[in-house]
Amino acid sequence: MATIKDVARAANVSIATVSRVLNNKSGFSEDTRKAVEEAIEELGYVPNGVARGLISKRTNTIGLLVPALSSMLVSEMVSGIERIVHEQGSSLIVCHTESNGKKTMQYLQLLLAKQVDGIIFTSGVLLQEYYQMIERSGIPLVLLSTESLHLPVPSVKVNDRLASFHATEYMIQHGHKKIGMISGNRNDMIAGVPRVEGFRMALSSHQIHFEESMIASHRGFSYIDGATAFRKLMTDHPDITAIVAASDDMALGMISEAFKMGIKIPEQVSVIGYDNIPICNVSIPPLTTISQPVAKMGEVAAKMVLDMIHGDEKQESVVFPHEIIERQSVKKMN
Amino acid sequence: MATIKDVARAANVSIATVSRVLNNKSGFSEDTRKAVEEAIEELGYVPNGVARGLISKRTNTIGLLVPALSSMLVSEMVSGIERIVHEQGSSLIVCHTESNGKKTMQYLQLLLAKQVDGIIFTSGVLLQEYYQMIERSGIPLVLLSTESLHLPVPSVKVNDRLASFHATEYMIQHGHKKIGMISGNRNDMIAGVPRVEGFRMALSSHQIHFEESMIASHRGFSYIDGATAFRKLMTDHPDITAIVAASDDMALGMISEAFKMGIKIPEQVSVIGYDNIPICNVSIPPLTTISQPVAKMGEVAAKMVLDMIHGDEKQESVVFPHEIIERQSVKKMN
DNA sequence: ATATTTAGAGTAAACGTTTACTCAATTAAA
DNA sequence: TTTAATTGAGTAAACGTTTACTCTAAATAT
């Protein structure tokens, strides 16, 4: 590959001059610009970003850490982030941590070694261990779809507890009295705990009787988790008429399972999902769900790190409003 | 951030020695190793990959170019690639070209500037222009889910024409005589042309009457494209009993549209998809489809570039077998 | 005992840029 | 005209590593 030296030689100037025209830095005549540009064209020269990075201390790369999530959700999130990041001439390294601490530490090490300019950490708990590592490296960090109560890290998220509260209340407003929840991993601090909490709060604030067994949880937030949780729920509580699901994937799995069990949605059982992934539009029936503006959130998070990189010290955390997208999976009871 | 100099100072040795223990290169005593390792620990030192890259000419980064595809498909593909790439201590930069020539060139420029060690190009036509740029840079390249007839670039793919042929034949074997196709962009050299060809060949080799209007196409390969194409097809040919779809997304959109139109799947119309994305398991009815082992293919493509990077000059192209995954969207006619 | 090998460690060049500094020549000001 | 400012361009240091080369002292061979 051609280097700046080759260009300099071909254009009969010093490398400093080449560098100047490359960066539009003034200090050269129109003639030399021509000569240099021709040489560049001729040689197909592309400046070496690694060398540039070494001296500028900027790699124009930002790192993204995601745990195992619904692939559609991740896609949307990433595409929002990517759009902004690329707009600014940077690129993105995505690391799937699978919520695994050891793996996360490894990736973190990798990102630091790669000298990324910033890090976005999504949808998981920011352990002290992670934070320290990032903190001491001085790399800007923002949290997406998660937050940290004691650590001073800006975040972009939705109020999960409230969203879940509303989802449940939506069922209540539609006349449902026997409402079950299919939760993912109930210990998940992000998508588990708060959503369960919101569910319980809604029931209790409407004085609806609640039993622990009306929340069925399984390992994760996927189709099968939804399917199995639903089956469990229906054997324990055959009189349930509405389900609040902790993710769209779970809701979809549940709908499929209901179909197999001969249960009609929404005629016999209503369901509301969570995430509003694109496929909700074409499920049968189309899925009523809580929408998190994931793509938008990704964009904002990306802008935040970028701003921090450009020197805007502290960013304000933002919590995005959620929204109930009404489709046809919830029946009005009367 | 601490540099190797800081470590050297703290451990009272030269930077060369630090480098040696870092790389296990011999030429130091057990005592100095201890001292150096302590200093590293103490300072939280992480070797600067940029500096390393400058001298080693390796960035441990590989670039991936993908056009706009079903997000689930991309996710699977990427996850296969990522697994392998990360196993080898490298990382991945994903670039969404949206099948846009200008954007692709920009990304290519970016990847070259970043000095990626290798490039995987997916699911699109490798233009001469792209090839030249990569070729002159000397960066190893492999094609995934696409191929180049005249350019000497190894590829990993499935035989689309044959797969589509089989999908169609599957319908014929199930007794269908009036078979329509919903194709995506018919000019798409990868997922358009060959799949349409396979469809036509299957019909003609079974002496089934064919009209152009039995292939409905729309812009792309998404839900709505499937839905609109299906509606068009059914108004033109209300007697169709089977549909071959060019993607699962299209099939899913079509199923949803059929539901709205009061058409029962598979009782009235059967459908076979293409891709076998995870959601096929939980659609209603579960979708019979052509499976491409995308994750596996991604892995193999990744291994290929990696091997090329490590000096294994030319790799053999591989075409993966497809498979028909029988679920419940095709009815047996008698 | 001397000569030779080896282990441990340091010095400095190189990787491909950017940039502070220098300098000559031209232009503008006095 | 002399002086000062400006323009165009080169030289060399720096960024943080790796590595070829060198050197000393200890260990081994003769």
Side-chain angles (χ1 to χ4, degrees):
Chain A
M1 278 228 265
T3 80
I4 201 174
K5 281 184 198 157
D6 301 318
V7 177
R9 198 173 312 126
N12 240 312
V13 296
S14 72
I15 60 168
T17 300
V18 177
S19 175
R20 285 195 271 261
V21 349
L22 238 30
N23 300 286
N24 257 308
K25 276 267 171 100
S26 89
F28 53 87
S29 67
E30 200 47 36
D31 284 357
T32 45
R33 145 172 275 138
K34 284 269 157 54
V36 169
E37 278 172 351
E38 269 166 31
I40 288 176
E41 180 65 24
E42 174 75 24
L43 297 166
Y45 168 72
V46 178
N48 183 325
V50 174
R52 280 183 158 177
L54 186 56
I55 146 142
S56 71
K57 276 128 172 356
R58 279 279 164 78
T59 52
N60 294 318
T61 307
I62 91 123
L64 175 66
L65 292 163
V66 272
L69 285 184
S70 158
S71 62
M72 284 204 218
L73 198 63
V74 175
S75 293
E76 275 197 276
M77 198 173 253
V78 171
S79 86
I81 299 176
E82 244 194 333
R83 188 173 318 128
I84 300 299
V85 167
H86 276 135
E87 252 173 51
Q88 312 267 329
S90 290
S91 41
L92 193 66
I93 293 182
V94 182
C95 302
H96 290 268
T97 64
E98 279 146 48
S99 315
N100 170 331
K102 200 162 157 204
K103 223 168 180 176
T104 305
M105 285 301 281
Q106 282 175 0
Y107 277 130
L108 235 30
Q109 173 110 7
L110 186 107
L111 293 178
L112 297 205
K114 283 246 158 76
Q115 310 284 118
V116 295
D117 300 332
I119 294 180
I120 299 178
F121 183 95
T122 21
S123 316
V125 178
L126 181 71
L127 297 184
Q128 190 74 32
E129 190 184 19
Y130 307 160
Y131 177 70
Q132 273 176 1
M133 188 155 178
I134 300 175
E135 216 274 328
R136 89 188 303 183
S137 77
I139 298 178
L141 167 68
V142 352
L143 265 25
L144 175 53
S145 261
T146 177
E147 68 185 331
S148 174
L149 277 352
H150 14 274
L151 271 16
V153 185
S155 62
V156 178
K157 60 180 296 269
V158 132
N159 187 331
D160 278 280
R161 196 191 298 110
L162 189 58
S164 176
F165 183 93
H166 283 154
T168 311
E169 211 167 41
Y170 179 85
M171 288 300 191
I172 298 173
Q173 282 156 0
H174 278 67
H176 292 275
K177 300 253 154 28
K178 290 295 239 174
I179 307 174
M181 175 167 201
I182 54 186
S183 154
N185 178 344
R186 286 189 61 174
N187 300 319
D188 183 314
M189 290 305 294
I190 308 308
V193 176
R195 296 185 192 169
V196 167
E197 260 180 50
F199 173 71
R200 299 182 63 153
M201 282 169 59
L203 292 189
S204 85
S205 82
H206 286 267
Q207 287 114 42
I208 293 186
H209 172 69
F210 167 79
E211 293 169 38
E212 255 318 309
S213 62
M214 296 183 79
I215 301 181
S217 57
H218 204 235
R219 246 153 300 179
F221 295 82
S222 68
Y223 305 136
I224 348 103
D225 297 317
T228 26
F230 177 64
R231 200 170 266 275
K232 186 171 6 155
L233 208 52
M234 291 313 281
T235 43
D236 291 0
H237 297 275
D239 53 345
I240 274 177
T241 67
I243 299 273
V244 174
S247 79
D248 283 343
D249 277 4
M250 296 191 83
L252 261 14
M254 172 239 148
I255 291 179
S256 158
E257 193 69 9
F259 178 72
K260 286 187 199 148
M261 295 164 72
I263 297 176
K264 291 226 181 289
I265 313 282
E267 290 77 6
Q268 292 171 262
V269 175
S270 294
V271 57
I272 185 168
Y274 199 113
D275 287 339
N276 193 32
I277 56 181
I279 201 156
C280 294
N281 282 304
V282 296
S283 64
I284 298 180
L287 185 64
T288 293
T289 192
I290 294 287
S291 150
Q292 312 190 60
V294 224
K296 194 81 203 149
M297 287 162 68
E299 290 181 11
V300 170
K303 279 200 190 105
M304 269 177 151
V305 235
L306 257 9
D307 283 350
M308 289 173 78
I309 293 170
H310 296 329
D312 280 14
E313 278 303 303
K314 278 299 159 234
Q315 301 284 317
E316 286 302 320
S317 290
V318 1
V319 3
F320 267 79
H322 56 269
E323 199 183 335
I324 295 186
I325 308 292
E326 297 196 77
R327 283 191 273 247
Q328 296 147 43
S329 63
V330 175
K331 177 184 162 198
K332 182 129 197 148
M333 306 285 277
N334 277 316
Chain B
M1 277 228 265
T3 80
I4 200 174
K5 281 186 199 157
D6 301 318
V7 176
R9 196 172 316 123
N12 240 314
V13 297
S14 72
I15 61 168
T17 299
V18 177
S19 176
R20 286 191 197 104
V21 348
L22 238 30
N23 301 286
N24 258 309
K25 275 268 172 95
S26 89
F28 52 85
S29 66
E30 199 48 34
D31 283 357
T32 46
R33 146 172 272 138
K34 284 269 157 55
V36 170
E37 278 172 351
E38 267 166 32
I40 288 176
E41 181 65 26
E42 175 74 23
L43 296 165
Y45 167 73
V46 178
N48 183 327
V50 174
R52 281 183 158 177
L54 187 55
I55 145 138
S56 71
K57 276 125 172 359
R58 280 279 164 79
T59 52
N60 296 318
T61 307
I62 92 122
L64 175 67
L65 292 162
V66 271
L69 285 185
S70 158
S71 62
M72 284 203 219
L73 199 62
V74 175
S75 294
E76 274 196 275
M77 198 172 253
V78 171
S79 85
I81 298 175
E82 243 193 334
R83 187 173 320 126
I84 300 298
V85 167
H86 276 136
E87 252 174 52
Q88 311 268 330
S90 290
S91 42
L92 193 67
I93 293 183
V94 183
C95 302
H96 290 266
T97 65
E98 279 147 49
S99 314
N100 171 332
K102 201 163 156 202
K103 223 168 180 175
T104 306
M105 285 302 281
Q106 282 175 2
Y107 277 130
L108 235 31
Q109 173 111 10
L110 186 107
L111 292 179
L112 297 204
K114 283 245 159 79
Q115 310 283 118
V116 295
D117 299 332
I119 294 180
I120 298 178
F121 182 94
T122 22
S123 318
V125 178
L126 182 71
L127 297 183
Q128 191 74 34
E129 190 184 16
Y130 307 159
Y131 177 69
Q132 274 175 2
M133 189 157 180
I134 301 176
E135 215 274 326
R136 87 189 302 181
S137 77
I139 297 178
L141 168 68
V142 352
L143 265 25
L144 175 54
S145 260
T146 178
E147 69 185 331
S148 174
L149 277 350
H150 13 276
L151 271 17
V153 185
S155 62
V156 178
K157 61 181 296 269
V158 132
N159 187 331
D160 277 280
R161 197 193 296 112
L162 188 59
S164 176
F165 182 93
H166 283 155
T168 312
E169 212 167 41
Y170 180 86
M171 287 301 191
I172 298 173
Q173 283 156 0
H174 278 68
H176 293 274
K177 298 253 150 39
K178 291 294 242 174
I179 307 173
M181 174 167 201
I182 54 185
S183 153
N185 179 345
R186 285 189 59 175
N187 301 319
D188 183 314
M189 290 303 294
I190 308 308
V193 176
R195 295 183 194 172
V196 167
E197 260 180 50
F199 173 71
R200 299 181 61 154
M201 283 169 57
L203 292 189
S204 85
S205 82
H206 286 266
Q207 287 114 43
I208 293 186
H209 173 67
F210 166 78
E211 291 170 40
E212 256 318 309
S213 63
M214 296 183 79
I215 301 181
S217 57
H218 206 236
R219 248 153 298 181
F221 295 82
S222 67
Y223 305 137
I224 349 105
D225 297 317
T228 28
F230 176 65
R231 200 172 266 276
K232 186 172 5 154
L233 208 52
M234 291 313 281
T235 45
D236 292 0
H237 297 276
D239 53 346
I240 274 176
T241 67
I243 300 271
V244 175
S247 79
D248 284 343
D249 277 5
M250 296 191 83
L252 261 14
M254 173 239 146
I255 291 179
S256 157
E257 194 69 10
F259 178 72
K260 286 186 199 148
M261 295 164 72
I263 298 176
K264 291 226 182 290
I265 313 283
E267 290 76 6
Q268 292 170 263
V269 175
S270 293
V271 58
I272 184 168
Y274 198 111
D275 288 339
N276 193 31
I277 56 182
I279 200 157
C280 293
N281 282 304
V282 295
S283 64
I284 298 178
L287 185 64
T288 293
T289 192
I290 295 285
S291 150
Q292 311 190 59
V294 225
K296 194 80 202 150
M297 288 163 67
E299 289 180 11
V300 170
K303 277 198 191 108
M304 269 177 151
V305 236
L306 257 8
D307 283 351
M308 290 173 77
I309 292 170
H310 296 328
D312 281 12
E313 277 304 301
K314 279 298 160 229
Q315 301 284 318
E316 287 302 320
S317 290
V318 2
V319 3
F320 267 80
H322 57 267
E323 197 184 339
I324 296 187
I325 307 292
E326 297 196 78
R327 284 190 273 248
Q328 296 146 43
S329 64
V330 175
K331 177 186 161 196
K332 182 128 199 148
M333 306 284 276
N334 277 318

